[in-house]
Amino acid sequence: MEARLETTYYPSLLSSTTITLTRQYDQKSDWNYRRRNNNLKKLQEIRSFSDNWDGYNAKPFDNRLIQKVQNLIKTLTFQPELFPTPSGAIQLEYDSKDGNHLEFLINQSDDVEVYCEIEGVDSEHNIQFSELEGEITSLYDRYIS
Amino acid sequence: MTDIFLDDEKLYRAVRPIDMFWKEDGTLSSAAFQDSNGLSVDRGNYREDREAKRRLLMNLHGTVVMFSVKDCNDVTAIVKYLPTEDNEYHSEVHKSVTEKKLTKSQQRHLAKVAKII
């Protein structure tokens, strides 16, 4: 898939602009692909955590949670950074260059905790796991990309 | 040791596994500070950073980060002195007097201000 700029009057400009935009798209796509693979590797590592993995008595992760997050990661167009939490949940994070920040806390229940810092103002709300992919896309488009 | 904490007292926590909680931009994820049982820390009791780190790493591994009691007060988190048999410096940071788990906003603030020592 390529990002293209159409023009009739400046064919030389068109060719150089098209190449630049295509390169930018490829770089972002490569970056997402690498991050996706890193996230999947990290999940495998988290799956192998044993008792007291953080040194403060955290418990091992439930396999069903790992599987649930793994399936989500495979479907996401924009890959987050992914972290385990000592309370047994998985946290996904996005940061924009201008300081906006999104967190999605996924645990074994159907509830997902969403935390946003947008232009310095923070807010929290809960959604269902089934709504998560749409919520990520919507918030990412508005505040991160 | 008294159970009173002044603003300038330092609190220390080991972050491990080492490569799990650091973001691509080098900052610490708030996920490192999300513990349902309250955030365990070692109080500094005005020791040198090096000594506090040495003592903490006797029982734990990982990267040691530090923030102050004032950093906790700034987001109305409560610091409680809860020494154990093994660790006279053990303390916990709680959301409030009655609830242990820090809010997302509190976790995020502490992750932002924490410094590696």
Side-chain angles (χ1 to χ4, degrees):
Chain A
M1 192 169 149
E2 292 178 354
R4 288 188 178 278
L5 181 67
E6 297 297 338
T7 176
T8 310
Y9 301 105
Y10 303 102
S12 60
L13 176 64
L14 167 65
S15 56
S16 64
T17 307
T18 302
I19 289 165
T20 304
L21 290 174
T22 304
R23 277 194 190 135
Q24 283 172 351
Y25 183 87
D26 287 345
Q27 281 168 359
K28 188 150 192 172
S29 178
D30 283 351
W31 176 84
N32 261 307
Y33 182 75
R34 279 201 303 275
R35 194 181 258 192
R36 175 183 181 273
N37 284 346
N38 286 341
N39 283 337
L40 293 174
K41 278 183 200 162
K42 202 166 178 181
L43 278 171
Q44 289 311 312
E45 199 176 335
I46 293 167
R47 191 197 293 271
S48 72
F49 283 174
S50 53
D51 242 356
N52 195 32
W53 59 267
D54 70 339
Y56 293 98
N57 298 318
K59 303 290 175 225
F61 281 78
D62 187 292
N63 259 331
R64 285 166 298 183
L65 173 63
I66 300 291
Q67 191 63 51
K68 185 162 88 165
V69 177
Q70 192 171 293
N71 292 341
L72 175 72
I73 289 296
K74 286 177 179 172
T75 64
L76 288 175
T77 308
F78 305 109
Q79 288 291 311
E81 290 192 78
L82 179 151
F83 306 96
T85 77
S87 60
I90 302 287
Q91 183 161 298
L92 310 183
E93 297 187 23
Y94 293 92
D95 289 281
S96 74
K97 284 177 184 165
D98 53 359
N100 289 337
H101 175 78
L102 305 175
E103 290 180 6
F104 302 89
L105 188 71
I106 305 168
N107 53 43
Q108 291 175 62
S109 79
D110 275 342
D111 278 343
V112 176
E113 294 175 34
V114 183
Y115 173 78
C116 309
E117 271 181 23
I118 308 299
E119 294 173 4
V121 179
D122 65 314
S123 64
E124 293 179 45
H125 63 280
N126 283 18
I127 58 170
Q128 294 289 295
F129 183 77
S130 57
E131 302 168 312
L132 181 54
E133 192 180 341
E135 182 80 348
I136 287 175
T137 304
S138 165
L139 291 174
Y140 184 95
D141 281 346
R142 272 190 289 172
Y143 301 119
I144 304 295
S145 64
Chain B
M1 252 179 281
T2 170
D3 57 3
I4 295 171
F5 289 89
L6 300 179
D7 269 1
D8 62 347
E9 184 165 355
K10 294 175 179 176
L11 305 170
Y12 301 88
R13 181 171 168 96
V15 175
R16 61 171 286 200
I18 285 172
D19 56 349
M20 271 291 151
F21 292 106
W22 299 95
K23 299 165 70 158
E24 288 171 4
D25 64 2
T27 60
L28 182 62
S29 165
S30 66
F33 292 157
Q34 193 195 102
D35 194 324
S36 311
N37 300 314
L39 188 69
S40 280
V41 293
D42 272 17
R43 66 184 299 178
N45 197 36
Y46 301 97
R47 289 171 292 167
E48 292 292 326
D49 286 346
R50 191 166 53 178
E51 171 54 21
K53 182 178 179 179
R54 188 195 65 76
R55 174 65 181 76
L56 187 59
L57 293 181
M58 280 170 59
N59 298 324
L60 294 165
H61 301 284
T63 304
V64 176
V65 298
M66 178 274 293
F67 48 85
S68 70
V69 171
K70 180 179 185 305
D71 294 326
C72 299
N73 290 339
D74 285 345
V75 285
T76 65
I78 306 293
V79 187
K80 289 187 174 178
Y81 179 43
L82 298 166
T84 63
E85 205 171 289
D86 297 341
N87 184 0
E88 62 179 319
Y89 297 104
H90 182 260
S91 306
E92 291 180 5
V93 185
H94 292 178
K95 171 188 173 182
S96 64
V97 174
T98 53
E99 291 182 78
K100 290 185 174 182
K101 186 179 172 184
L102 297 173
T103 65
K104 299 293 294 173
S105 174
Q106 288 170 328
Q107 292 161 25
R108 174 97 170 125
H109 176 73
L110 294 179
K112 276 183 186 172
V113 299
K115 293 182 178 67
I116 298 176
I117 61 161

